[in-house]
Amino acid sequence: MSYGAAAALQSAVFQSLTSAPALAGVAVYDAVPPSPAGTFVLVGPEEVRDAGDKSGAGAEHLVQISVISDGTGFLAAKTIAAAISDRLLGAALVLARGRLVSLHFLRARARRIDEGEVRRIDLIFRARIEL
């Protein structure tokens, strides 16, 4: 198993999201901004498991991408989450290290945080990488 492609995967996901026309005007970060306000996307935590086999080394990455919004209701956040899902499903991301074999949506969770003032949608994608 190797964690070697983690940075390459994050960079490719970040690049794909920041260049998506459907996400124009939506800020994408890899850390919560100092004064979070409005609506933004956060490329965040991941879990990695060994996915090597007799053909070679590999890893399975469970990547979380969050939509965080202080807007009223969930509609705007869900629209952005759908655009993220549409952008990444089946995407042929080119990695600086390793080769992306597949990228699939696994699950999502929408909830209120900060005493109901902020909406958060966490999308989990499964990426299989050969090293």
Side-chain angles (χ1 to χ4, degrees):
M1 190 201 113
S2 175
Y3 192 63
L9 177 61
Q10 180 173 335
S11 294
V13 167
F14 183 87
Q15 179 63 32
S16 180
L17 296 179
T18 56
S19 65
L23 297 171
V26 178
V28 180
Y29 300 104
D30 71 349
V32 176
S35 302
T39 301
F40 61 94
V41 172
L42 184 62
V43 178
E46 71 179 321
E47 289 181 38
V48 181
R49 296 182 185 114
D50 181 30
D53 57 24
K54 67 180 182 178
S55 68
E60 176 187 78
H61 294 249
L62 301 181
V63 179
Q64 179 176 306
I65 300 170
S66 301
V67 179
I68 302 170
S69 177
D70 61 6
T72 304
F74 274 100
L75 183 59
K78 286 181 179 182
T79 301
I80 293 168
I84 292 168
S85 183
D86 290 345
R87 179 68 174 194
L88 294 180
L89 288 180
L93 303 178
V94 177
L95 307 182
R97 182 173 179 183
R99 183 179 76 83
L100 182 67
V101 175
S102 63
L103 181 60
H104 300 285
F105 173 78
L106 188 60
R107 66 180 177 270
R109 179 178 181 211
R111 60 195 163 116
R112 290 182 178 87
I113 59 174
D114 291 342
E115 298 180 15
E117 298 296 317
V118 176
R119 278 75 177 143
R120 181 179 181 127
I121 301 173
D122 296 321
L123 304 158
I124 307 294
F125 292 88
R126 178 182 292 142
R128 169 69 168 88
I129 297 174
E130 288 180 342
L131 298 166

